[in-house]
Amino acid sequence: MPSIPSSILNLMDNYLPAQFQALGDRTRFAVVERLLNGPASVSELAKPHDMALPAFTKHLGVLERSGLITSTKAGRVRTCAINPKAFTDIEQWFLDRRAHWDSRLNRLAQHLSETDGD
């Protein structure tokens, strides 16, 4: 069995579980989807969700702690934005998994074609 690169292990230990867990919630997923269109204020992000602002800001806290979003404060307005590095890490994790399974499936296909004539 091929070993898992240490860079992926570090991602798994530090970020990926929190990121996938954060995206597993419908409200947080919707926030991330909205932020893909560009930064937005907390009040703008909260508007379509039927919940009190303190409950909504807890969702933003989960997204921020997972590294998926960042926020900045200017005066009384807090603005949230996507953290592109986090999504690059997730994409790389999927690409590595795909390469792993492509390799395994190619070896299986080769084995099956070699044993087909037996």
Side-chain angles (χ1 to χ4, degrees):
M1 180 170 160
S3 65
I4 299 173
S6 63
S7 60
I8 296 300
L9 287 176
N10 289 338
L11 286 174
M12 289 169 54
D13 289 341
N14 297 321
Y15 301 108
L16 289 176
Q19 291 171 340
F20 287 133
Q21 184 175 6
L23 289 171
D25 178 87
R26 183 174 293 153
T27 299
R28 293 190 291 263
F29 189 87
V31 168
V32 168
E33 284 290 312
R34 164 52 192 88
L35 289 175
L36 291 173
N37 294 322
S41 69
V42 170
S43 58
E44 183 183 344
L45 293 170
K47 196 172 188 175
H49 302 280
D50 187 26
M51 65 179 68
L53 190 57
F56 182 77
T57 58
K58 287 182 181 181
H59 285 289
L60 295 179
V62 170
L63 289 169
E64 239 181 311
R65 284 189 302 277
S66 74
L68 292 170
I69 69 168
T70 60
S71 70
T72 56
K73 189 170 184 179
R76 300 174 80 186
V77 177
R78 180 167 293 281
T79 301
C80 298
I82 289 293
N83 176 7
K85 169 88 168 82
F87 289 90
T88 300
D89 292 343
I90 291 171
E91 179 184 26
Q92 188 59 53
W93 183 82
F94 277 113
L95 290 172
D96 289 344
R97 301 288 61 75
R98 181 177 181 164
H100 170 79
W101 283 105
D102 282 348
S103 172
R104 291 188 73 165
L105 290 171
N106 288 340
R107 286 194 312 261
L108 175 61
Q110 182 179 356
H111 173 74
L112 292 174
S113 68
E114 289 170 0
T115 59
D116 193 30
D118 290 345

